[in-house]
Amino acid sequence: MAERLMLLDTPSLYFRAFYGLPDSLKAADGMPVNAVRGLLDMISRLVTDYEPTHLVACWDDDWRPKWRVELIPSYKEHRVARKVPDGPDVEETPEGLVAQLPLIREVLASLDLPIIGAADHEADDVIGSLASQAAAPVDIVTGDRDLFQLIDDATGVRVLYTARGMSKLEAVTDVTVVSRYAVLPGQYADFAALRGDASDGLPGVSGIGDKTAASLLKEFVDLDGIMEAASNPSSSMSASICQKLTAAADYLAVAPTVVNVVRDLDVGTFESRIRPLDTDHEQKLKKLADQWNLGGAADRVLKAYAARG
């Protein structure tokens, strides 16, 4: 079987699992386990349907890195529950999900599934680094469009996009991005910087939406080319667009650093090959399943792993 690495945007998936399953799914002590059960079923389906040979759970060690906030203070600000001066800010997260996060990590460990994060960086940056440094084709599982910037048909990097649900996963490739946004994946970060993204607190350039951003990138290739044209009186750019870009020059000078995912993190070495679980890991998962009422989700993921033997 040809090797293929699958990278899980774990925060994106456990939020989806939490909101996708009722919180009436509980352990004996009353703690909801919907996110845990949902995430396990996602993993089972992904391993079965897409047959990756390697699997990594990428983690947010810092969901709102201060170096990004220093450049654009509004970055994810609307999602802050409590600011922490000397550490990662606390994200606004339902209590029922917060309670499940330690169990999620414990269950993933019982699957012998590496959980990889990086200090002062988001899961997106871990994904960007692992995808860029991979020697095999890569599937990125996420509901975050920011990761479209990593798509590259030439190297076999695609996104399995979860926006419509796990039963309707969309394999996003170069063609998908071009047909939907009229930009290449390599232009997507500049496209997002220009139009803005309310979900991440990125203001964008006032008066420039999707169509204008795409047309600018089509003509001037990238943000550097666009800003060079905006400062050149003899360029083909209209005076009104020049004014809008010039007014946003300070924002556009820092936006690429915030929007572009990091691709050169050194996250060390680890084993990510999917194998049937050894006795110790299998017994640990079964014990967790009994203790926390994980139902058939544990059985299904064990079956999916066993089939990879």
Side-chain angles (χ1 to χ4, degrees), residues 219-238:
E219 184 170 1
F220 303 109
V221 182
D222 57 20
L223 198 51
D224 288 340
I226 290 170
M227 295 309 291
E228 183 179 345
S231 64
N232 182 356
S234 63
S235 78
S236 59
M237 188 178 293
S238 71

Side-chain angles (χ1 to χ4, degrees), residues 37 52 82 106-107 142 146 237 303:
R37 289 173 60 162
R82 178 168 53 87
E106 195 172 0
V107 167
T142 185
D146 288 344
M237 188 178 293
K303 182 178 179 181

Side-chain angles (χ1 to χ4, degrees), residues 8 10 12-23 25 32-46 97 100 103-104 107-108 111 141 162 165-167 292-298 300-301:
L8 305 181
T10 316
S12 174
L13 297 183
Y14 63 59
F15 267 98
R16 174 166 289 277
F18 178 79
Y19 286 111
L21 292 175
D23 58 10
L25 296 171
V33 292
N34 52 337
V36 186
R37 289 173 60 162
L39 182 59
L40 280 175
D41 275 333
M42 289 176 181
I43 292 171
S44 303
R45 183 166 193 148
L46 289 164
L97 177 54
Q100 296 180 67
L103 179 57
I104 286 174
V107 167
L108 294 179
L111 289 174
V141 187
T162 65
M166 294 301 294
S167 62
W292 295 103
N293 186 30
L294 301 183
R300 286 186 288 273
V301 79

Side-chain angles (χ1 to χ4, degrees), residues 234-252:
S234 63
S235 78
S236 59
M237 188 178 293
S238 71
S240 64
I241 295 297
C242 286
Q243 281 185 330
K244 292 171 182 175
L245 291 167
T246 301
D250 289 346
Y251 159 75
L252 291 173

Side-chain angles (χ1 to χ4, degrees), residues 16-218:
R16 174 166 289 277
F18 178 79
Y19 286 111
L21 292 175
D23 58 10
S24 57
L25 296 171
K26 296 182 178 181
D29 67 355
M31 186 183 86
V33 292
N34 52 337
V36 186
R37 289 173 60 162
L39 182 59
L40 280 175
D41 275 333
M42 289 176 181
I43 292 171
S44 303
R45 183 166 193 148
L46 289 164
V47 169
T48 300
D49 292 354
Y50 293 93
E51 299 185 333
T53 55
H54 297 73
L55 184 64
V56 179
C58 302
W59 200 267
D60 272 339
D61 277 11
D62 190 341
W63 69 281
R64 188 177 184 246
K66 290 190 173 8
W67 57 270
R68 282 190 165 110
V69 176
E70 288 172 357
L71 296 173
I72 299 180
S74 62
Y75 182 66
K76 296 187 177 180
E77 187 173 27
H78 59 295
R79 289 156 54 182
V80 176
R82 178 168 53 87
K83 292 188 177 182
V84 180
D86 299 321
D89 292 332
V90 177
E91 185 176 12
E92 188 172 15
T93 307
E95 289 183 9
L97 177 54
V98 172
Q100 296 180 67
L101 295 182
L103 179 57
I104 286 174
R105 292 187 67 101
E106 195 172 0
V107 167
L108 294 179
S110 75
L111 289 174
D112 203 18
L113 201 170
I115 303 168
I116 306 299
D120 303 319
H121 288 84
E122 303 173 49
D124 286 9
D125 299 315
V126 176
I127 291 169
S129 296
L130 291 176
S132 299
Q133 298 166 28
V138 178
D139 283 339
I140 300 166
V141 187
T142 185
D144 186 351
R145 292 179 299 175
D146 288 344
L147 292 171
F148 287 179
Q149 64 187 271
L150 296 171
I151 292 169
D152 186 349
D153 286 1
T155 58
V157 179
R158 64 181 180 176
V159 164
L160 301 180
Y161 192 44
T162 65
R164 294 188 298 171
M166 294 301 294
S167 62
K168 297 180 181 179
L169 282 181
E170 179 183 17
V172 182
T173 62
D174 287 7
V175 172
T176 315
V177 176
V178 172
S179 63
R180 186 169 299 167
Y181 302 106
V183 298
L184 295 167
Q187 297 173 306
Y188 189 85
D190 285 349
F191 173 74
L194 285 164
R195 70 165 187 188
D197 187 342
S199 67
D200 280 340
L202 296 174
V205 178
S206 179
I208 292 184
D210 289 21
K211 290 184 178 180
T212 303
S215 65
L216 288 170
L217 288 165
K218 181 178 181 180

